[in-house]
Amino acid sequence: MPSNILLITADDMGGDTPGCFGGPAEVTPALDRLAAEGMTFGRAHVAIAVCQPSRSAIMTGRWPHRNGAQGFEPIADGVPVLTRLLREAGYMSGILGKVEHLQPVEAFGWDFTRGMRELGMGRDPRAYGEAARRFMTEAAEHGRPWFLMANAHDPHRPYSGSRDELERFPAEERATYPAPSKVFGPADDVGAVPGFLPELPEVAREYREYLSSSRRCDDVAAEVLRALEESGTAGDTLVVFLSDNGIAVPFAKANCYLQSSRTPLIVRWPGVTRPGTREDTAFVSMLDLFPTFCAAAGLAEPAGLDGQGMLPLLRGEPQDGRDAVFTVFHETAAKGRYEMRSRQDARFGYIWNEWSDGARAYRAENMFGRTWPAMLADPRLAPRTRFYLHRAPEELYDLHADPHSLTDLSGDPGHREDLAAARRDLLAWMTETGDPLLGTYRAFLTERAPG
């Protein structure tokens, strides 16, 4: 019998935010329970660390340069999508929130949709629960297996209790959703801010606002999971939770750093995963979900997928080809083009910044809010902020010694061989996937070859 599939997504939640991934206590009780009932992945990464292209990659199983959605744009004509494949197999498909972030909407053939405003600006847990309950009831009435993508709009900016929230959401919109079930204030011990950010008062304040929004995301997940339990189909349902990218702060979202693409992946699949298991060695890409969902539905994978099914890992078995992960970046929501490519393994993170020329300055949504202005105002951070604006053509980080990617080793003679190995692997990946910047990267490497 094919499994139902419930995919719950967070918007801009860091990979280490949930408690089950080492985050502060009390932020994600529902997700922590889900993790205890299923399996967590410590080295899971999205293909691209920005919303619409990340989601398009998941739903097509293809790299952005192969599905057409490199930025906030529709996928190309003729690219197979998961929901169409499932519909042909008799599945009913539904989406809650972020409907317009999979384009063109009609290509996905949704049977059931609820938009942001129908869900309290994507922030009302009760509305999500009611919509999920309605969808599951309709699927049962029609005797169809189902796929539901429940997309929380938290913890995307504006954060709960922030000045941005007051300015961007009128009072009538704020009235449509509740406060988080727990709001984190100065008296709450949430530990240090993420290690790639400086310990400044305004950064810590914004981090607490972000954690409050993350708690409301958890509230959404709790209500959707409650609807699943009430439907009586939890035992026949594959549940997956992930975030579409990292936190919307500097050096995270809309980049290619470890904290940009790492996602808090949780999978609960009755009869397949064992409760409370962890996979912290194998690298997985969210491109791997498409073939995994095909396996859950008993379907053959369509040709042209870039992902690798995760079934062996989910069963606790080893799987080849899991020693590294590649990620990309193309453009921001404002259409700023900043081409980046990355390869990460257990030791090193390597990034090629095609756009970095020493003059051009980076600008993205992750620089809104309190954190970036606070960094700019502190003269001690001038080298760090200057680097963020302009980068270097290449970056190399020793993730054992420097897990937050603070010290670029690309110019260190002691790591010349490590840099060369990363370059070779990235070049091979770009060749294999038909990356449109392959020629540019080859020319870049030729320019830097020893005389």
Side-chain angles (χ1 to χ4, degrees):
M1 178 179 176
S3 295
N4 303 314
I5 302 168
L6 173 58
L7 173 59
I8 304 174
T9 77
D11 202 351
D12 295 5
M13 180 183 284
D16 59 357
T17 293
C20 51
F21 287 91
E26 299 186 86
V27 175
T28 57
L31 295 178
D32 296 347
R33 286 193 299 272
L34 181 66
E37 297 164 354
M39 188 174 191
T40 57
F41 290 81
R43 289 177 171 169
H45 290 261
V46 295
I48 180 169
V50 70
C51 179
Q52 185 162 328
S54 177
R55 294 166 188 272
S56 296
I58 290 169
M59 296 298 286
T60 63
R62 301 187 185 207
W63 291 104
H65 64 267
R66 297 193 63 243
N67 68 33
Q70 295 186 25
F72 285 67
E73 57 202 4
I75 61 171
D77 292 341
V79 174
V81 298
L82 178 66
T83 44
R84 289 288 186 181
L85 188 69
L86 292 174
R87 169 177 267 192
E88 292 171 3
Y91 274 70
M92 180 174 171
S93 64
I95 183 169
L96 312 181
K98 311 298 289 187
V99 178
E100 66 286 349
H101 282 74
L102 288 168
Q103 293 283 349
V105 173
E106 58 273 14
F108 291 85
W110 302 107
D111 299 298
F112 184 99
T113 63
R114 291 290 184 273
M116 178 178 73
R117 295 184 181 279
E118 298 170 282
L119 298 166
M121 305 305 293
R123 291 163 169 80
D124 183 358
R126 181 176 296 181
Y128 276 87
E130 291 175 351
R133 197 170 290 109
R134 173 71 178 274
F135 169 77
M136 294 172 194
T137 298
E138 289 188 12
E141 290 173 348
H142 290 89
R144 297 169 63 185
W146 50 262
F147 170 86
L148 178 62
M149 188 178 191
N151 303 307
H153 283 244
D154 277 318
H156 192 288
R157 295 177 182 278
Y159 297 143
S160 174
S162 67
R163 180 177 61 249
D164 288 348
E165 184 180 37
L166 294 176
E167 294 174 351
R168 290 172 57 181
F169 287 171
E172 60 270 20
E173 290 181 349
R174 297 198 304 275
T176 65
Y177 60 85
S181 58
K182 178 173 177 56
V183 174
F184 295 89
D188 292 290
D189 181 10
V190 298
V193 302
F196 59 90
L197 294 175
E199 278 285 357
L200 300 174
E202 283 294 275
V203 176
R205 179 178 177 182
E206 184 163 71
Y207 182 54
R208 291 192 298 269
E209 294 170 349
Y210 157 80
L211 291 177
S212 297
S213 286
S214 295
R215 176 58 179 257
R216 190 166 51 204
C217 174
D218 188 79
D219 297 339
V220 166
E223 290 297 330
V224 173
L225 291 168
R226 181 175 293 113
L228 174 63
E229 291 295 329
E230 293 173 356
S231 75
T233 62
D236 301 318
T237 302
L238 163 60
V239 178
V240 174
F241 172 83
L242 57 86
S243 174
D244 59 354
N245 49 250
I247 309 174
V249 292
F251 293 96
K253 178 182 178 180
N255 285 287
C256 277
Y257 296 106
L258 172 67
Q259 59 268 8
S260 303
S261 59
R262 185 185 169 206
T263 188
L265 178 65
I266 305 172
V267 180
R268 186 185 74 186
W269 190 354
V272 178
T273 56
R274 297 194 309 276
T277 52
R278 299 185 63 88
E279 173 50 74
D280 290 329
T281 301
F283 284 87
V284 297
S285 168
M286 294 309 92
L287 295 173
D288 300 333
L289 290 179
F290 195 123
T292 304
F293 290 156
C294 287
L299 302 176
E301 299 173 18
L305 295 184
D306 291 319
Q308 178 183 14
M310 298 167 57
L311 195 54
L313 294 180
L314 296 172
R315 289 173 171 161
E317 303 166 359
Q319 188 178 28
D320 293 335
R322 297 290 185 185
D323 58 346
V325 69
F326 295 88
T327 62
V328 304
F329 190 77
H330 299 292
E331 67 180 38
T332 68
K335 301 296 183 183
R337 198 80 178 179
Y338 302 99
E339 292 280 6
M340 310 175 203
R341 304 293 186 270
S342 174
R343 180 197 183 273
Q344 297 179 32
D345 60 24
R347 176 73 187 276
F348 290 104
Y350 169 74
I351 303 170
W352 174 53
N353 297 305
E354 180 274 342
W355 63 274
S356 176
D357 61 5
R360 189 176 178 204
Y362 174 91
R363 180 69 177 170
E365 183 260 353
N366 57 52
M367 299 158 81
F368 300 167
R370 302 180 188 279
T371 296
W372 179 246
M375 293 174 67
L376 287 176
D378 191 327
R380 297 170 300 175
L381 297 174
R384 180 78 166 154
T385 55
R386 187 164 52 248
F387 180 81
Y388 191 61
L389 287 173
H390 300 290
R391 312 298 167 88
E394 293 177 301
E395 301 173 58
L396 181 71
Y397 299 98
D398 181 343
L399 299 175
H400 280 181
D402 180 21
H404 302 298
S405 304
L406 300 175
T407 303
D408 176 19
L409 301 173
S410 61
D412 186 338
H415 288 280
R416 186 177 293 114
E417 289 303 316
D418 301 314
L419 179 65
R423 286 172 168 178
R424 286 193 298 269
D425 285 350
L426 182 62
L427 180 63
W429 174 86
M430 293 177 72
T431 302
E432 178 185 348
T433 65
D435 192 303
L437 291 186
L438 174 60
T440 305
Y441 188 56
R442 280 179 171 152
F444 170 82
L445 296 181
T446 298
E447 291 173 0
R448 280 155 179 76

